[in-house]
Amino acid sequence: MAIVKNNFFEDGDVPTAAELNQPYDDAATATATLGQENVADNWITIKHIDTTPVGVFNKLFSFVYSGTSEFSTNSTSYVTIDSTGANPSEVILGYQPEQQEVYRVECSGLVTNINAEQTYDSTAGPPNGDRNYYAFRLLLTYDDGAGPLTLNLGEWGYSFTTMAGGTSRYWTSSNGLPKETGVPLGFQTFQFSKVFKHNGATGSRTFTKIELQSKVNYNGNTLKVSRNNIVVVRATR
Amino acid sequence: MPYVKPNTFADGQTLDASDIKGNDEALKDYANEGIDRGDFDNNLMGTEEIQLGDYQPITNEYTFATGIATGLSVGRQETDRSYWTNTVKKQRLQDNTLKVWQSNYHTSPTLILEEGADVLITYGGSVPSFANEVSATGFWDSQIKLGYRKNSSDLLTFVEQTRSYAFEEALMTSAGPSGVKNPFGLTGKPSSAGDESPEIKFGLRRWIGWTAILTLPAGTYKFSYYINPKTEEGAFTARTFKAEVFYN
């Protein structure tokens, strides 16, 4: 838009109607499309940012369970953590992302009173194998219009004990004398994060939710988790 | 909506002062909070229009129009640790309701939230503790969590979603725990390990990490990571600490 101008009159001038109207008409035209010529440097502060209906620059989605109830599993396939039985660890998203949007997901929690009966720590087959390990993953559920689909955002592995290596190492509470044992790691925090980008077209996909899941490598070992949380930072444009 | 002049002048018209005044009054009203979002052109803003970010080198804090970010990453230097020595009687170290909270100064930003905001705090560090002179027969669990005060006179508000534990290198002459928490699982310590075995110590010295998500109203907040030490002396550190503010 243009900058509003003014007319200068000398004593004794008889202004025309056009001259009198001009500054007001210019103001009417200019104020319909205020542009860079009309605003000062550094004028935008947090006070000027409209926060409705969603955050302008970033939007956070989160799940927080801060209680002491324990989720317990000995499943060798991934199951969603649910510390109270009615409050699964998931972040509800429920929106369509724009193309090239970037997301950050952070997750943390507390592993509590584990029970590891066998902690073989090698790739050799049963009865050995990688029985010392358990893992978490973040699972995105989305919909492209034909029903829910899932995307594994990442997996993070931990061990029940500090031991490493060997084909005969184990620690046991019920299968005889332990030997070459490692130290069990109860009351251990876990923490991981992931950055991902939506490469599809804007509006082509609906993000439904992100779940925190866990599994163990051997069903004789039990993993327990109490407090846990997930946060998704959506960097909007 | 844009400015609209109430009076239009015509050639030959006798100039009326109130007509000019009316047009000027309307312009004044428009300039005084009459501008709305529809009046702004597309692609209005250049980066020079947005408030410049501010960096506070003393507190290592960045303040932007859109939020605040602060943090640190330190090595394992002993000078970076927060040390404590208890001033209570030895027997009280076994008290699980002990209200002694030691702050880690590396994790103590003061965040001034001009608007309601989501605050994301990420921590990673370790908590080595030193020998307790009390002849403990279990695993003294020192509780660790994030806390904050909204006003300086408030009591600490603890953030339970960051609840963590560190354990003392105690004499472990018994498999049963004497503290509330047992780091060795349901069955106590591994029976092949001696009380002072290196693997016991290794198992006790853990990395502690968490992310906290808080939704807070506008105000001034003093954060810190706190430990409720059950040992006579010890130390903890923040290898990484980051606080981010997302105005919502």
Side-chain angles (χ1 to χ4, degrees):
Chain A
M1 67 145 257
I3 295 173
V4 176
K5 294 172 288 189
N6 199 1
N7 290 315
F8 292 99
F9 300 106
E10 299 290 340
D11 288 343
D13 284 354
V14 178
T16 66
E19 289 171 336
L20 286 174
N21 286 321
Q22 183 202 314
Y24 302 107
D25 290 338
D26 283 354
T29 302
T31 55
T33 53
L34 292 170
Q36 292 196 10
E37 301 91 340
N38 308 107
V39 292
D41 291 348
N42 302 308
W43 72 273
I44 299 173
T45 70
I46 182 61
K47 294 289 186 187
H48 300 100
I49 296 173
D50 186 2
T51 57
T52 56
V54 296
V56 177
F57 293 94
N58 293 288
K59 177 68 177 172
L60 266 63
F61 303 86
S62 61
F63 166 85
V64 175
Y65 173 68
S66 57
T68 56
S69 296
E70 293 174 326
F71 168 77
S72 176
T73 184
N74 63 350
S75 172
T76 55
S77 58
Y78 279 111
V79 290
T80 301
I81 290 173
D82 188 347
S83 295
T84 65
N87 185 27
S89 298
E90 61 186 24
V91 172
I92 304 299
L93 301 175
Y95 65 86
Q96 294 183 325
E98 296 182 15
Q99 190 171 22
Q100 308 297 341
E101 269 196 32
V102 176
Y103 300 87
R104 170 160 58 112
V105 186
E106 292 200 30
C107 180
S108 67
L110 182 67
V111 169
T112 56
N113 220 350
I114 57 161
N115 186 15
E117 289 194 353
Q118 293 192 16
T119 57
Y120 292 108
D121 193 17
S122 78
T123 56
N128 295 348
D130 297 332
R131 296 186 166 185
N132 194 21
Y133 298 102
Y134 59 90
F136 298 97
R137 80 171 174 185
L138 290 169
L139 188 70
L140 169 69
T141 301
Y142 63 93
D143 193 334
D144 288 345
L149 300 169
T150 58
L151 177 66
N152 184 2
L153 296 179
E155 295 178 82
W156 295 266
Y158 293 80
S159 61
F160 282 103
T161 74
T162 59
M163 62 184 292
T167 58
S168 60
R169 293 183 172 194
Y170 62 94
W171 171 70
T172 176
S173 62
S174 59
N175 294 340
L177 293 174
K179 58 182 179 180
E180 295 184 284
T181 182
V183 176
L185 292 172
F187 289 93
Q188 171 84 15
T189 59
F190 63 89
Q191 178 189 34
F192 40 82
S193 63
K194 172 75 176 181
V195 174
F196 71 102
K197 184 168 70 174
H198 172 61
N199 287 324
T202 299
S204 64
R205 173 168 294 182
T206 299
F207 283 170
T208 307
K209 62 182 177 181
I210 294 176
E211 294 168 273
L212 172 62
Q213 299 184 320
S214 65
K215 71 173 183 179
V216 298
N217 271 16
Y218 169 60
N219 63 11
N221 297 338
T222 301
L223 171 67
K224 294 184 178 181
V225 176
S226 64
R227 68 161 178 85
N228 63 94
N229 57 27
I230 313 167
V231 60
V232 181
V233 181
R234 178 191 184 192
T236 56
R237 293 188 295 157
Chain B
M1 61 175 292
Y3 165 75
V4 178
K5 71 177 190 298
N7 303 304
T8 301
F9 302 107
D11 286 336
Q13 173 190 350
T14 300
L15 198 55
D16 189 335
S18 65
D19 289 346
I20 294 178
K21 185 179 179 184
N23 283 358
D24 290 347
E25 280 289 322
L27 196 54
K28 182 189 73 177
D29 290 344
Y30 176 79
N32 293 339
E33 300 186 0
I35 303 171
D36 65 28
R37 70 175 66 187
D39 298 341
F40 290 106
D41 196 5
N42 291 334
N43 304 314
L44 159 69
M45 291 186 292
T47 53
E48 68 273 21
E49 265 85 43
I50 302 174
Q51 182 186 38
L52 185 66
D54 185 37
Y55 174 58
Q56 298 290 343
I58 302 298
T59 56
N60 196 39
E61 179 179 300
Y62 295 84
T63 303
F64 305 102
T66 53
I68 303 169
T70 182
L72 64 90
S73 180
V74 297
R76 55 180 65 200
Q77 295 91 344
E78 294 186 354
T79 54
D80 291 327
R81 294 176 178 171
S82 280
Y83 291 87
W84 68 79
T85 53
N86 259 319
T87 55
V88 298
K89 294 182 177 179
K90 294 176 182 177
Q91 285 73 11
R92 285 214 68 202
L93 294 176
Q94 302 174 14
D95 184 351
N96 284 309
T97 60
L98 195 62
K99 288 187 172 61
V100 175
W101 293 95
Q102 170 79 22
S103 168
N104 185 319
Y105 62 90
H106 274 314
T107 63
S108 302
T110 296
L111 298 180
I112 301 173
L113 307 183
E114 296 184 36
E115 301 282 338
D118 292 320
V119 180
L120 203 60
I121 296 180
T122 305
Y123 169 86
S126 60
V127 188
S129 50
F130 306 132
N132 192 343
E133 292 181 15
V134 175
S135 297
T137 56
F139 324 102
W140 299 115
D141 53 307
S142 295
Q143 203 171 155
I144 310 171
K145 47 186 146 181
L146 180 69
Y148 66 84
R149 287 182 171 90
K150 184 175 183 185
N151 301 302
S152 59
S153 59
D154 289 348
L155 293 176
L156 279 171
T157 298
F158 287 109
V159 181
E160 292 300 325
Q161 60 178 295
T162 66
R163 186 178 59 255
S164 311
Y165 300 93
F167 299 94
E168 180 196 356
E169 296 169 14
L171 294 173
M172 284 177 256
T173 56
S174 161
S178 296
V180 170
K181 304 299 179 187
N182 181 351
F184 294 149
L186 294 174
T187 55
K189 69 172 184 175
S191 58
S192 70
D195 288 335
E196 296 295 327
S197 79
E199 62 184 10
I200 288 285
K201 293 181 177 179
F202 182 69
L204 288 166
R205 288 185 171 178
R206 282 92 178 278
W207 179 266
I208 290 173
W210 46 257
T211 298
I213 307 127
L214 303 165
T215 300
L216 299 172
T220 300
Y221 296 86
K222 178 72 172 175
F223 288 90
S224 193
Y225 199 25
Y226 290 91
I227 186 167
N228 181 210
K230 302 289 174 54
T231 58
E232 289 232 308
E233 58 183 14
F236 76 142
T237 181
R239 302 284 171 80
T240 62
F241 180 85
K242 183 174 65 174
E244 300 165 90
V245 173
F246 300 91
Y247 287 117
N248 52 28

